[in-house]
Amino acid sequence: MFLPAISRLFAALLLLLAPACHREIDRPTATDAELSSFVDVVAGTGKVDDGDLQRVREAVASGLPRLQRAFQRPLQRRFHVFVHADREHLPDAMVTSLHEDAAGFALLGMHQIHIVRDEVAGSGNTLAGVVAHELVHELLDQYAGEFGRLIPRWFHEGLAQVLAGDTYLHVREEELVFRLLNRTLLSFEQLRHKFPTTQPALRTAYAQSYSYVAWLHERYGLPALLRVVAAVDRDIGFEGALVGMTQRTTLDLAEAWRDKVLHSGAPWRVLFHSCFDLVLVAILPLLVLALRRRLQSESRAARRMAESEERERQAEELRRARLAAEAQAMATAGFALPPVDEATAPPASPSDLPPPGRESPSSPPPSAR
């Protein structure tokens, strides 16, 4: 009796929740008119066609509304997104801003985003992820206003990865474990203005920034982190504003993040990957030995086949020589022989061969003179 009523109630709840779920799943995109009101997507250097521009324009139109809702502040300045064909055509002054394996960069304070088309596929990141990453840099820079240059580089890169939902250079938190245990990571003060240029150190810097900002984001939330950015001025730097919001010293925050990484399961993941690598190293000699035995077996089989074919060839030559000798002997004796059908002649065997140094008994006698 209760089942029909429960079913009707469940159906009513689904109808009420469906619009909300639909709104959550569907991510609004900016129309062309809305997009052109605050951003220009234009061709940069190299051969860039309309299709390239359209794909980047669609990525901007998809990512920008979501990120603007996260910052909860309208854009203050118009900015440009330049689409370049490849790294080779970039001006020398810009090449230094494009890290190895990266596909884009933002020039803070100049309100410019640069996307390098051919580098997107090589980076392993999606075009949407690359565009969203660089949009976060521009939005954060505009959010900070005149004090944008005081926002540390590590916070910029960390927040860009967190909000874009796509880590740069395929960084993993596991890469930090050994450096954290040995305390060999660069300090956040060292990462304030610039990142390393060598690939291993650069990856570590991105991983460190992502992991720390992700922890701050999870612990305090994005609105609190944006309040820190808004509080930055000439007297209160970023670290001072962060301490004021969290009521913890920067050293205390760094130690808490360090403990979180070391107790988050990352060391076990590192151990698993290490054990897997060690297993591969251990079985490599066995694989080499098995391959060597397989090659030797195939070589022996090929050699036996060649020897068998050689024996058959010698037997065939012996048979033909015997038939020719018999025919010559009969002709010398004055007998006329019918043609010999070699196909019906008995096959010769190696035992029919005369021993070395002796003449075949069937060979004709030497003629007297």
Side-chain angles (χ1 to χ4, degrees), residues 44-63:
T45 58
K47 186 177 181 180
V48 178
D49 56 31
D50 293 338
D52 298 326
L53 295 178
Q54 183 60 29
R55 283 186 288 272
V56 174
R57 190 176 290 111
E58 290 173 355
V60 173
S62 176

Side-chain angles (χ1 to χ4, degrees), residues 118-174:
D118 289 358
E119 297 294 322
V120 174
S123 68
N125 297 95
T126 63
L127 176 62
V130 172
V131 169
H133 184 103
E134 304 307 331
L135 285 174
V136 173
H137 286 312
E138 175 63 26
L139 292 175
L140 180 58
D141 191 50
Q142 292 200 25
Y143 192 93
E146 61 177 316
F147 301 109
R149 57 185 176 82
L150 300 180
I151 306 302
R153 174 71 183 276
W154 61 261
F155 185 78
H156 255 286
E157 297 299 346
L159 191 66
Q161 293 178 89
V162 170
L163 296 186
D166 196 3
T167 58
Y168 236 42
L169 306 183
H170 307 289
V171 298
R172 297 183 306 172
E173 195 174 55
E174 289 85 347

